[in-house]
Amino acid sequence: MVIDIIDLPTIPVIGKEGLCTAEKNIIQPLWQEANSHFHEVAALGMKNSDGTYVGFWGAMSDESMSFRPWTHQFTRGLYLAGVETYADAIAPEGWTKWIMPARKYMVVDVEPDRYSEIFDEVINKTIPEKGLKLVGAACDYTEPATGKNKLFFPVAAL
């Protein structure tokens, strides 16, 4: 597994928000809704110099919106399926804007069919082995230029 540790500034994201629970995982329906209405926010998406979008985030937070890890063994929390945007962008009606805090992240590539396995391995093995602790909710990221999916884990030294 390739692991990077990077520092990122605040990240504004506009997307569709919902509450996930062990009984009702709404991540795929949120992405379907965001994708089917993307034209409503396409102009707000941050772009690279070549015109491609910077990225699409499955941003996560605890229910208090403190961006702490999900509760109930990482099965309950808020999820925002959206596009990275500009700090001054205003979410249109029916959309939500989050400002993810500046943090240090452990970043790993993830294949959709191994998502749970990789998530568990990083949380339970990799982060502790590196002398780090999880300090916030993990986030999904898709890089449009490559199509690669990544998991971002906010970490700090023990």
Side-chain angles (χ1 to χ4, degrees):
M1 172 181 345
V2 176
I3 299 168
D4 289 316
I5 296 180
I6 61 172
D7 289 305
L8 290 179
T10 59
I11 303 168
V13 178
I14 289 178
K16 296 292 185 172
E17 178 187 293
L19 175 66
C20 284
T21 66
E23 300 78 28
K24 187 173 182 184
N25 183 332
I26 61 164
I27 292 173
Q28 288 306 319
L30 285 174
W31 277 112
Q32 290 168 356
E33 185 178 355
N35 290 336
S36 66
H37 295 279
F38 184 69
H39 63 279
E40 297 171 10
V41 296
L44 301 175
M46 185 180 286
K47 294 183 180 172
N48 295 306
S49 59
D50 65 2
T52 59
Y53 289 100
V54 169
F56 296 96
W57 288 91
M60 298 184 216
S61 176
D62 64 321
E63 291 178 75
S64 74
M65 278 305 299
S66 298
F67 295 97
R68 289 191 297 252
W70 281 14
T71 60
H72 298 82
Q73 298 177 324
F74 304 104
T75 64
R76 184 179 180 91
L78 297 173
Y79 189 92
L80 184 74
V83 63
E84 189 165 337
T85 189
Y86 298 93
D88 62 351
I90 297 170
E93 187 173 334
W95 292 81
T96 301
K97 181 178 178 182
W98 287 6
I99 307 289
M100 294 169 31
R103 289 189 163 148
K104 180 181 295 296
Y105 289 93
M106 178 179 288
V107 183
V108 298
D109 290 346
V110 64
E111 298 298 323
D113 61 333
R114 294 192 59 225
Y115 184 96
S116 293
E117 176 187 341
I118 291 171
F119 186 95
D120 291 343
E121 182 178 339
V122 171
I123 292 289
N124 297 312
K125 183 178 176 194
T126 310
I127 290 174
E129 284 178 354
K130 298 273 186 198
L132 301 170
K133 63 181 175 178
L134 185 69
V135 295
C139 296
D140 305 314
Y141 173 81
T142 301
E143 184 177 81
T146 63
K148 285 188 178 180
N149 296 311
K150 299 176 184 280
L151 278 168
F152 282 65
F153 297 89
V155 293
L158 289 173

